[in-house]
Amino acid sequence: MIERSVVVRVHEGLHARPATQFVKLAKSFASDIEIRCNGRGASAKSAVKLMLLGVKENDEATLRADGDDAADALSALSTFLQTPDAGDVALSAKPAETHATPAQPLATGASRGIGASEGTAIGPAFAFFPAALDIQPRTVPGHEREAERARYSAALAETVQSFREAKSRPGLKRDDAAIIDALVEVAEDGEFIAAVEAAIRDGRDAPSAVVEAGREIAANFEALSDPYLRARAEDIRSVTRSLALTLLGRKDTTLAEMPKGSIIVADEIAALDLAKATLLNIGGILCRKGAATSHVAIMARAHGIPAVLGFPTEEAVLKAARTIGLDGSSGEVAIDPDGEATVRFQSAIAREAEERRKLDAYRTVEPRTRDNRRIEIAANLGSLAEIEGALKAGAMGVGLFRTEFLFMERRSLPGEDEQAETYTKLAEAFAPYPVVIRTLDIGGDKPVAGIDFEHEDNPFLGWRGVRMCLERPDVFKPQLRALLRASPVGNVKILLPMIADVGEVHAVRALLDECRTELDAAGIAHGAFELGVMIETPAAVFLAAEIAREVDFFSVGTNDLTQYVMAADRLNPRVAKLNRTEHPAVLAAIRHAAQAAREAGIWIGVCGEAAARPDLIPFFVENGVSELSMSPTSIPRAKKCVTEI
């Protein structure tokens, strides 16, 4: 048996979707794998047990593996745990920033719940109160127990298939599918199955065995302190109910026939219930249970459905309601509002619609400042799956494609052909707009299988980015050749991370020359490209004038530049107050790099989180930045901001 301890960097810890991805990765190895955290342990191949560990961001976890592929398993799983974006948690998974509770009084008959998805709604109430499961436990004779277990197995397969069919319904987004994947993982969890089968062996009938096992697991989640993990009890109840109904041969109440514009009123809604609805028909959601961290809240935010959860009222009150008005930001709810309140809700809806309409108009705009300066607003992406969303948002190309996601969560390095195909598809999707593809940016904080990283006390200052790549040409050259093979499309720009010395640029150019020669010898086409560097180290800032003479563009990585300038780890909450891009020292560094770019006649972009901030966009533009790259959801607002400068 071997073991390895790591600090968990997964954003918000191993909640449902990261836990699901972690378990899938663990199951790809034959070894027995255990994860221990906070004095407790669980199988790395059980999503339920893993979530019940309550592994948080910045916790220290120990992985133990026993088997022929134990070393590979620990390498891959350690990589996952040290990757902030592991599990691909989208921005829509986070609660929206809500405005403060309004000073105006509540409408007559109104009170408040938890604002879970912003927006105002008013409409007819659609009561969704599925009948409670009334299962009378019965004892199964010994000679029938194997048949009862087989009946459970068949019901499990049928239920999982229904989940997968729900995942493919039109109108669902990638995040919705990830939530349903998490439900599948719960249903197929080894611990859950073992608990049900043990109860059946003891003589319990399958439906009551399922309900009993589900009730116990849900109670374990509800006892946790973390609100996100507590909300996973909702998922357990949803899976349990689906399994029990399948065993009973019954169909559940659905939202499929809900009239358009209705406000769903319910005790609790599961993500699966929402997935089966026509989401465009839902005017709003009001539930007695739930929180902003529940999966129904995440899905509501992703689809722009106003929602209030945890509303303190009796079930009978909601069942009797005819009309519901709600504010998903403040949590205000009015049941059967009077005329004055109705007008107020309707006015708010009209105002929000006008604001959305104005913002949506910017999706197709190529923004120019008032003095006619064109600024490209591009997208930060990590996979080809994100292309469609970026194009819909109006991305003018890709300002940062993080190639490390091609290398992570896998057992071997991607080949040159696979990389070339990925980069070519990316370039073709956005042509003629540029795609800036960053070369492999990994290190001790996010290692990959196939590259041996020794322990480093401070991996952010260690063997990472271009430093590692230049010492591993066997890894770097296949990527460079793949990028060159994609360049005939005509819009490929290569970006080098962690540059601290002009000699590193010279070394990369020499490797590129070697790669071109090798491709020529093999008769493989390649084309022209631009070469740029990330401005993210203080050294690159101080040497900006010298480096600018050797490259075609700069791209400011505000996240790392801020932490390096301020000597404040961006993952350490105790120094978070220092980690501010708007700090005068960081702005001075950006201004210095922009001046060097201007004097050298090259362009400069910004690809960190700050690129989307309305308070900083005027500063960037004023200092000569011509490209801003960000999460696709931020693109329309950034375009609007540019046109007002």
Side-chain angles (χ1 to χ4, degrees):
M1 176 178 291
I2 58 175
E3 69 175 52
R4 180 183 297 180
S5 294
V6 297
V7 175
V8 177
R9 300 300 191 191
V10 178
H11 181 56
E12 295 184 353
L14 295 184
H15 52 80
R17 282 164 294 169
T20 299
Q21 296 300 319
F22 183 86
V23 167
K24 285 182 178 178
L25 182 59
K27 287 180 177 178
S28 71
F29 297 95
S31 294
D32 292 327
I33 307 167
E34 181 189 32
I35 178 170
R36 297 193 64 80
C37 187
N38 301 319
R40 296 182 297 134
S43 167
K45 299 181 180 182
S46 167
V48 168
K49 291 294 185 182
L50 181 60
M51 285 189 285
L52 284 172
L53 278 185
V55 180
K56 307 274 186 57
E57 185 178 356
N58 296 321
D59 278 352
E60 182 173 324
T62 299
L63 295 166
R64 295 174 178 170
D66 187 14
D68 292 340
D69 56 2
D72 289 339
L74 289 194
S75 176
L77 293 170
S78 296
T79 295
F80 187 98
L81 292 177
Q82 294 175 89
T83 305
D85 294 326
D88 196 20
V89 180
L91 291 175
S92 60
K94 299 177 183 177
E97 291 183 10
T98 58
H99 57 253
T101 300
Q104 63 193 44
L106 291 172
T108 303
S111 55
R112 295 195 193 282
I114 299 168
S117 180
E118 65 182 17
T120 307
I122 187 169
F126 181 83
F128 181 68
F129 294 90
L133 291 175
D134 184 17
I135 297 176
Q136 299 299 321
R138 66 182 180 86
T139 300
V140 178
H143 67 279
E144 295 180 7
R145 291 175 188 175
E146 178 54 33
E148 191 72 359
R149 190 202 62 77
R151 188 165 78 94
Y152 162 64
S153 294
L156 174 61
E158 183 180 339
T159 301
V160 167
Q161 180 59 29
S162 73
F163 287 0
R164 291 184 171 134
E165 289 172 358
K167 188 174 76 169
S168 62
R169 280 178 58 86
L172 292 189
K173 297 186 176 183
R174 186 178 176 214
D175 288 351
D176 305 331
I179 289 171
I180 296 175
D181 278 340
L183 298 181
V184 169
E185 197 67 40
V186 168
E188 295 183 326
D189 183 79
E191 300 285 344
F192 192 4
I193 292 172
V196 174
E197 292 186 337
I200 293 173
R201 283 195 302 272
D202 289 341
R204 184 65 59 87
D205 64 295
S208 60
V210 165
V211 169
E212 182 180 301
R215 185 184 297 119
E216 182 177 342
I217 295 172
N220 288 337
F221 275 104
E222 288 174 333
L224 296 174
S225 60
D226 182 83
Y228 193 99
L229 292 172
R230 276 204 311 274
R232 301 290 65 77
E234 164 202 298
D235 302 334
I236 303 297
R237 287 192 290 269
S238 172
V239 169
T240 300
R241 182 179 179 87
S242 296
L243 282 167
L245 286 169
T246 301
L247 283 162
L248 295 171
R250 287 164 44 187
K251 296 292 184 183
D252 209 354
T253 306
T254 75
L255 295 167
E257 304 304 320
M258 183 189 66
K260 189 171 184 178
S262 298
I263 309 297
I264 302 171
V265 294
D267 191 57
E268 178 178 56
I269 301 176
L272 194 63
D273 295 325
L274 212 54
K276 293 177 180 178
T278 302
L279 294 169
L280 290 175
N281 287 350
I282 301 175
I285 297 171
L286 174 63
C287 294
R288 294 177 62 239
K289 297 179 182 176
T293 50
S294 68
H295 276 155
V296 69
I298 293 170
M299 290 179 69
R301 289 193 290 273
H303 292 273
I305 301 171
V308 175
L309 306 180
F311 182 60
T313 191
E314 297 299 319
E315 183 177 300
V317 173
L318 290 186
K319 284 183 174 180
R322 299 184 304 278
T323 303
I324 299 291
L326 63 84
D327 182 338
S329 296
S330 69
E332 177 186 349
V333 174
I335 296 175
D336 295 325
D338 61 16
E340 181 182 344
T342 297
V343 169
R344 186 155 66 83
F345 280 114
Q346 290 173 339
S347 297
I349 292 169
R351 184 172 62 253
E352 291 166 5
E354 178 64 12
E355 290 173 356
R356 285 195 303 272
R357 186 190 66 78
K358 289 180 179 178
L359 206 55
D360 283 345
Y362 286 91
R363 296 179 188 275
T364 57
V365 167
E366 291 200 344
R368 293 180 179 272
T369 62
R370 291 183 178 178
D371 57 354
N372 205 35
R373 184 169 162 213
R374 181 178 180 274
I375 305 295
E376 288 184 348
I377 307 297
N380 294 337
L381 303 181
S383 71
L384 297 182
E386 299 171 72
I387 289 174
E388 183 181 358
L391 290 172
K392 285 183 178 179
M396 301 163 67
V398 177
L400 175 66
F401 186 74
R402 304 178 180 94
T403 62
E404 55 267 26
F405 292 115
L406 281 172
F407 290 73
M408 292 179 174
E409 298 181 33
R410 53 191 301 155
R411 299 174 64 175
S412 60
L413 296 170
E416 179 183 324
D417 290 344
E418 179 185 350
Q419 291 189 66
E421 181 181 6
T422 297
Y423 306 147
T424 300
K425 286 181 178 178
L426 179 74
E428 289 172 344
F430 287 92
Y433 287 126
V435 291
V436 179
I437 303 175
R438 186 175 66 188
T439 59
L440 190 56
D441 185 18
I442 57 172
D445 61 316
K446 46 181 178 180
V448 299
I451 304 176
D452 186 22
F453 287 88
E454 295 181 0
H455 172 74
E456 295 178 313
D457 289 335
N458 193 335
F460 285 109
L461 301 179
W463 195 57
R464 60 172 296 195
V466 76
R467 303 168 181 179
M468 182 280 295
C469 287
L470 286 173
E471 291 187 22
R472 288 294 304 269
D474 59 313
V475 175
F476 197 26
K477 286 183 66 177
Q479 180 173 48
L480 295 179
R481 284 194 298 267
L483 288 164
L484 290 171
R485 288 167 60 179
S487 62
V489 178
N491 57 346
V492 172
K493 304 178 189 297
I494 300 174
L495 180 62
L496 306 178
M498 283 299 290
I499 292 293
D501 188 274
V502 71
E504 293 166 332
V505 179
H506 294 157
V508 174
R509 284 207 180 273
L511 284 178
L512 283 165
D513 288 341
E514 288 181 22
C515 291
R516 276 195 289 255
T517 300
E518 291 164 0
L519 292 173
D520 286 338
I524 299 175
H526 57 89
F529 63 91
E530 290 187 9
L531 182 67
V533 301
M534 293 283 288
I535 299 295
E536 55 189 343
T537 68
V541 173
F542 290 126
L543 294 176
E546 184 178 354
I547 294 173
R549 292 192 289 269
E550 307 296 329
V551 298
D552 302 299
F553 67 97
F554 283 166
S555 184
V556 180
T558 55
N559 300 343
D560 272 338
L561 179 63
T562 301
Q563 79 165 342
Y564 291 140
V565 167
M566 300 305 297
D569 183 350
R570 59 192 172 101
L571 299 179
N572 186 341
R574 297 191 68 176
V575 293
K577 64 182 180 181
L578 293 173
N579 207 283
R580 296 183 292 114
T581 301
E582 71 273 15
H583 191 282
V586 180
L587 297 183
I590 296 171
R591 187 182 295 112
H592 181 81
Q595 180 180 347
R598 195 163 54 247
E599 292 174 352
I602 66 173
W603 64 272
I604 182 170
V606 175
C607 64
E609 292 298 322
R613 286 177 51 175
D615 60 325
L616 290 178
I617 288 175
F619 167 82
F620 296 140
V621 173
E622 176 188 343
N623 281 278
V625 169
S626 59
E627 180 202 71
L628 297 166
S629 190
M630 60 200 65
S631 168
T633 56
S634 301
I635 287 173
R637 190 173 301 280
K639 286 185 174 184
K640 178 177 183 292
C641 184
V642 166
T643 64
E644 296 171 347
I645 297 173

